[in-house]
């Protein structure tokens, strides 16, 4: 049982990283971005290319996948989202467009890398017991948790300690007031994509370090990511972190008692149970603070 | 009043023939007004007349169809809101005029986003003018009372040391003693040299302290004149101040139903 909790924490950390990025984008742009999962896949494949073709150690691909994810997000904003915002597109139109972006991105990845399941070239590490507990963790498992914690701490410091983070929270709180307070909204949006896309890209690498993957990984990750965001409270990245850990642990622990294929459903059952008690999510107030 | 006729003073803000609205709905149908430098001008008018829309149009939040808005002689049309406040005019919206999830200090820093230097000096000046904000500086703005929130909204807008402050119904929904404080602050801000353009439901109080007043109705100019003279005008009194002597106005000055004392200000 404890072993499942441990596996859940590892998966939950990855969910937390990816979900907090999606939640940040929602908080500031009010965009429900279905392409986020495929941005996660993109990060994993950038790392795969660097790892297999250039022989780079997977750990070194992590910051590079962050940068690649950020660049992709900024490029997509310039190509798709900024023109839609300028024309005053509604949230539903933007959401549907994001499904189109998701499909385009996935097909591009299939075209470039094929649809076969693949994995990073990294040394297999032995699982060692955690003290006297009946829990086996490899060094990579620990490193995934630490990397996720570092990413989340970075996000927290950005939001609370920097001027751009303060402007992000202000924009999420009250966009019109942020405009007339002199906030350079275009700049804040660009940083939002850098952080959100970067976290997606890095999250993809972390996921690939824990298991084999294919070009559909982002699409399947998107379900628990959305569950995590909703559990935590839409538009609150801290809620997304909490929700990610909760959904991750719940899904893995369920494997102890239920057939594996019910895993995803368990995430949604947890989501519904939480919503029955906290209709706006655990930390829900539609805001970044 | 030894002051010269306000209309004779150099204008800081000039709006002429302004048409603006939302989507295909035209709300303002040719509005003109002038705010002389350093003076207080009030706009009154019934609910839905377009007063808030006019304020939003000045700050680039509503698309202007035709007409002109000039600040210190230069057009504001086509500028981004951040470029407009950079010119030296700031805005306190009627509702949602603070960032509720940011602390008081963070709200003030946000107001000073465009300051290159002297942020600390402006913060000190704001705390001096609004001591309550110093006491509450680490509290989230959402937890402030209505009056405190209005003070914060004004301080946030004053961080950039504007030469014109636009206040949209600063006394709405506040308890009478808090209304007094707000008007006292408006006078204080004006004494420091900042011109004021104020939209007010509390028309008697506002016009009495105004150099000039405008009545806006159905998106058009109805009447204008020196504040006290407008107040004494029987037509204004019957049409816009409530014909029953001050009875209706009196009831308007108390908090609106559901506003729940001073916590209702939004
Ligand atoms: N965001 C909006 N979209 C569409 N119509 C609006 C919007 N805001 C206000 N209106 C309409 O514009 C008119 C003028 O509103 P407003 O400027 O707020 O009036 P006032 O401040 O004088 O009470 C009203 O009929 C109102 O319903
Ligand atoms: Mg109004």
């Amino acid at each position: 049982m404890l072993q499942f909790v441990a596996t859940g924490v590892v998966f939950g950390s990855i969910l937390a990283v990816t979900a907090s990025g999606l939640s940040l984008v929602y908080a500031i742009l009010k965009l429900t971005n279905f392409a986020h999962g495929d941005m996660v896949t993109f990060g994993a494949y950038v790392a795969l290319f660097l790892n297999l073709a250039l022989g780079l150690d997977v750990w070194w691909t992590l910051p590079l996948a962050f940068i690649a994810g950020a660049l992709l997000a900024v490029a997509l904003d310039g190509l798709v989202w900024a023109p839609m915002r300028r024309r005053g597109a509604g949230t539903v139109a933007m959401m549907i467009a994001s499904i189109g972006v998701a499909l385009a991105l996935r097909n591009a990845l299939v075209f470039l890398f094929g649809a076969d399941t693949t994995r990073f070239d990294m040394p297999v590490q032995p699982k060692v017991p955690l003290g006297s507990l009946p829990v086996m963790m490899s060094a990579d498992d620990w490193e995934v948790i630490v990397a996720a914690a570092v990413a989340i701490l970075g996000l927290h410091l950005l939001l609370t300690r920097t001027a751009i983070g303060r402007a992000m929270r202000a924009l999420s709180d009250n966009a019109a007031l942020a405009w007339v307070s002199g906030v350079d909204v275009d700049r804040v949006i660009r940083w939002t994509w850098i952080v959100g896309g970067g976290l997606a890209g890095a999250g993809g690498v972390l996921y690939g370090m824990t298991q084999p993957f294919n070009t559909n990984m982002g699409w399947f990750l998107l379900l628990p990511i959305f569950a995590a965001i909703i559990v935590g409270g839409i538009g609150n990245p801290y809620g997304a972190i909490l929700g990610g850990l909760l959904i991750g642990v719940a899904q893995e622990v369920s494997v102890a008692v239920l057939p594996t294929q019910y895993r995803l459903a368990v995430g949604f059952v947890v989501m519904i149970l939480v919503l029955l008690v906290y209709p706006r999510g655990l930390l829900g107030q539609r805001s970044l603070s | 009043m030894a002051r010269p006729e306000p209309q004779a003073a150099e204008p800081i803000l000039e709006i002429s023939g302004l048409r603006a609205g939302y989507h295909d709905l035209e709300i303002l149908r040719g509005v003109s007004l002038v705010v002389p430098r350093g003076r207080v001008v009030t706009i009154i008018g019934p609910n839905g007349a377009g007063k808030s829309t006019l304020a939003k149009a000045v700050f680039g939040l509503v698309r202007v169809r035709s007409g002109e808005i000039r600040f210190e002689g230069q057009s504001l049309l086509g500028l981004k809101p951040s470029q407009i406040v950079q010119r030296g005019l700031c805005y306190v919206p009627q509702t949602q005029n603070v960032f509720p999830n940011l602390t008081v200090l963070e709200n003030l820093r946000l107001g000073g986003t465009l300051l290159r230097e002297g942020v600390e000096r402006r913060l000190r000046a704001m705390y001096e003018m609004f001591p309550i904000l110093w006491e509450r500086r680490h509290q989230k703005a959402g937890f402030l009372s209505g009056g405190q929130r209005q003070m914060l909204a004004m301080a946030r807008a004053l961080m950039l040391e504007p030469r014109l402050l636009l206040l949209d119904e600063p006394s709405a929904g506040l308890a009478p003693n808090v209304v007094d404080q707000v008007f006292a602050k408006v006078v204080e801000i004006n004494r420091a040299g900042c011109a004021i353009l104020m939209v007010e439901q509390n028309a008697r109080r506002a016009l009495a302290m105004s150099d000039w007043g405008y009545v806006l109705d159905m998106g058009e100019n109805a009447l204008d004149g020196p504040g006290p003279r407008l107040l004494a005008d029987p037509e204004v009194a019957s049409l816009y101040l409530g014909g029953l002597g001050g009875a209706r106005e009196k009831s308007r000055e108390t908090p609106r139903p559901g506003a729940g004392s001073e916590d209702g200000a939004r």
Side-chain angles (χ1 to χ4, degrees), chain A residues 172-229:
Chain A
S172 137
D173 244 13
N174 186 338
L177 193 62
W179 288 334
V180 296
S181 298
V183 170
D184 182 344
V185 175
D186 294 332
R187 182 162 166 266
V188 176
I189 288 177
R190 194 157 58 244
W191 276 101
T192 302
W193 280 119
I194 288 173
V195 175
L199 288 173
V205 182
L206 295 180
Y207 184 83
M209 289 171 70
T210 60
Q211 54 201 292
F213 55 93
N214 61 31
T215 42
N216 279 328
M217 74 178 247
W219 187 244
F220 286 109
L221 263 178
L222 201 58
L223 294 173
I225 288 175
F226 271 125
I229 286 176

Side-chain angles (χ1 to χ4, degrees), chain B residues 57-110:
Chain B
V58 170
F59 286 89
L61 297 173
V62 164
R63 207 169 57 84
V64 171
R65 259 150 241 209
S66 64
E68 184 56 274
I69 303 172
R70 287 180 178 278
F71 180 74
E72 297 182 335
Q74 291 185 315
S75 176
L76 299 180
L77 296 184
L79 297 184
K80 290 197 270 185
S82 61
Q83 295 169 317
I84 292 171
V85 292
Q86 182 100 69
R87 296 279 174 97
L89 65 166
C90 290
Y91 172 39
V92 179
Q94 181 177 353
T95 56
Q96 296 170 16
N97 50 22
V98 299
F99 300 104
N101 287 299
L102 268 57
T103 64
V104 167
L105 174 57
E106 286 175 329
N107 267 271
L108 294 176
R109 284 195 184 282
L110 237 294

Side-chain angles (χ1 to χ4, degrees), chain A residues 15-271:
Chain A
L15 280 186
V17 169
T18 48
S20 60
L22 180 55
S23 198
L24 183 73
V25 166
Y26 179 84
I28 288 154
L29 292 149
K30 304 293 174 265
L31 165 67
T32 309
N33 185 15
F34 278 89
H36 193 77
D38 295 282
M39 285 161 59
V40 174
T41 315
F42 173 79
Y45 275 87
V46 167
L48 185 77
F49 174 78
L50 295 169
N51 176 230
L52 297 187
L54 305 183
L56 209 59
D57 183 86
V58 173
W59 282 105
W60 284 110
T61 69
L62 204 52
L64 296 173
F66 184 100
I67 293 169
L71 289 176
L72 173 71
V74 170
L76 286 174
D77 190 63
L79 272 166
V80 182
W81 309 124
M84 286 190 81
R85 278 197 303 276
R86 269 198 297 277
R87 288 178 179 78
T91 51
V92 176
M94 304 268 274
M95 186 177 85
I96 289 170
S98 81
I99 297 176
V101 171
L103 291 172
L105 209 52
R106 195 172 326 150
N107 283 309
L109 289 172
V110 172
F111 179 76
L112 288 171
F113 295 98
D116 295 338
T117 295
T118 178
R119 61 188 315 150
F120 293 141
D121 174 21
M122 53 196 297
V124 179
Q125 287 177 326
K127 298 244 179 195
V128 294
L130 174 59
S132 56
L133 295 171
V135 175
M136 307 287 280
M137 304 262 290
S138 72
D140 282 333
D141 288 341
W142 284 111
E143 284 164 7
V144 166
I145 292 174
V146 170
V150 168
I152 286 163
L153 182 67
L155 176 63
H156 171 69
L157 293 177
L158 176 88
L159 286 176
T160 53
R161 301 289 157 83
T162 68
I164 194 79
R166 187 166 60 227
M168 284 177 179
R169 285 155 53 216
L171 203 58
S172 137
D173 244 13
N174 186 338
L177 193 62
W179 288 334
V180 296
S181 298
V183 170
D184 182 344
V185 175
D186 294 332
R187 182 162 166 266
V188 176
I189 288 177
R190 194 157 58 244
W191 276 101
T192 302
W193 280 119
I194 288 173
V195 175
L199 288 173
V205 182
L206 295 180
Y207 184 83
M209 289 171 70
T210 60
Q211 54 201 292
F213 55 93
N214 61 31
T215 42
N216 279 328
M217 74 178 247
W219 187 244
F220 286 109
L221 263 178
L222 201 58
L223 294 173
I225 288 175
F226 271 125
I229 286 176
I230 293 166
V231 162
I234 294 174
N236 182 335
Y238 296 104
I241 292 161
L242 189 64
L245 286 169
L246 193 67
I247 297 284
V249 170
Q251 283 197 5
E252 296 305 319
V253 168
S254 77
V255 176
V257 287
L258 290 169
T260 324
Q261 63 265 36
Y262 290 117
R263 240 195 200 159
L264 275 181
V266 167
F268 279 84
V269 171
V270 170
M271 181 184 91

Side-chain angles (χ1 to χ4, degrees), chain B residues 51-52 94 168-169:
Chain B
K51 305 181 297 296
S52 296
Q94 181 177 353
D168 195 347
E169 302 211 19

